[in-house]
Amino acid sequence: ILAYNVVSKWLLRSTFILLCVIAFLLGYFYSQDSEIFVYFNDLSSGRLALSHNAIMNLPITLLGQDLNLSDLDTFGISSAQSVSYKHLDSFYLSVLYNLGILSLFVYILAYDVIMKKAVLNRDKKLIVTMILFALYGISESVFNKICFDIFIFLAFAYRYRKTPANSVVSKDE
């Protein structure tokens, strides 16, 4: 039971990192020659192809950059889709390219702070909410807009929230 608790706590806390890596790898390994990738690209309205294009053609910087995806070709976009739509829709990739490695690290840290306290307090509603937002981030970049961003604000609010007297938080965790 102890090993299960340690593994499940680790998995919950690293969900954000794992999904970030998955989003990057999906874009990196995207190929028009693979039926599975083409199927998921069509299912995601060309998001995989746009991610692949960004990964292959844009540099990753420490503090981000002003992206101009209109300079990239329309690789992977079907004729049924709007060729003018060239927005990097993965939250993880959008933060990485627009705001930089440093900002992505801050998001990962904020998610870890929230999940650590949620797991220690066994706050199932918050755990499920955070996992759903993290999953949603694979296909949507809406959370890198400050008016929609819950991670940073929630990290500070939850970090400094008083721990309820009936919670099971030990000092060594």
Side-chain angles (χ1 to χ4, degrees):
I1 291 178
L2 179 63
Y4 173 75
N5 284 337
V6 171
V7 170
S8 63
K9 286 179 186 178
W10 179 85
L11 279 173
L12 287 173
R13 288 182 61 188
S14 61
T15 302
F16 198 83
I17 294 172
L18 292 172
L19 291 173
C20 181
V21 169
I22 287 169
F24 186 84
L25 291 176
L26 283 173
Y28 183 80
F29 288 112
Y30 171 77
S31 170
Q32 285 183 317
D33 299 329
S34 169
E35 288 183 30
I36 293 173
F37 277 119
V38 169
Y39 172 75
F40 282 115
N41 186 52
D42 288 342
L43 192 64
S44 68
S45 304
R47 286 177 171 95
L48 281 179
L50 289 171
S51 295
H52 178 79
N53 238 358
I55 290 168
M56 294 301 164
N57 296 302
L58 298 172
I60 297 173
T61 62
L62 185 64
L63 297 175
Q65 58 197 321
D66 186 20
L67 279 186
N68 187 3
L69 293 180
S70 62
D71 292 341
L72 300 177
D73 63 13
T74 56
F75 172 72
I77 305 297
S78 71
S79 58
Q81 297 163 351
S82 172
V83 176
S84 64
Y85 182 80
K86 293 185 179 184
H87 185 71
L88 196 52
D89 263 336
S90 168
F91 165 75
Y92 306 103
L93 296 177
S94 182
V95 168
L96 181 63
Y97 285 102
N98 285 309
L99 304 175
I101 295 170
L102 192 59
S103 294
L104 186 60
F105 177 75
V106 169
Y107 274 99
I108 290 170
L109 187 63
Y111 184 87
D112 186 60
V113 165
I114 298 166
M115 285 302 277
K116 179 180 181 182
K117 196 152 187 177
V119 167
L120 291 176
N121 290 331
R122 296 189 173 117
D123 189 342
K124 293 175 185 165
K125 290 179 185 175
L126 182 59
I127 291 170
V128 169
T129 302
M130 292 301 293
I131 289 173
L132 290 175
F133 276 114
L135 285 169
Y136 188 62
I138 288 178
S139 65
E140 282 298 328
S141 65
V142 71
F143 300 120
N144 69 350
K145 311 254 185 296
I146 197 70
C147 58
F148 296 111
D149 185 6
I150 63 159
F151 291 115
I152 302 298
F153 297 116
L154 192 54
F156 285 108
Y158 207 72
R159 171 70 176 101
Y160 295 106
R161 186 178 89 170
K162 298 253 188 251
T163 305
N166 62 352
S167 72
V168 210
V169 177
S170 67
K171 299 253 185 217
D172 55 35
E173 296 184 86

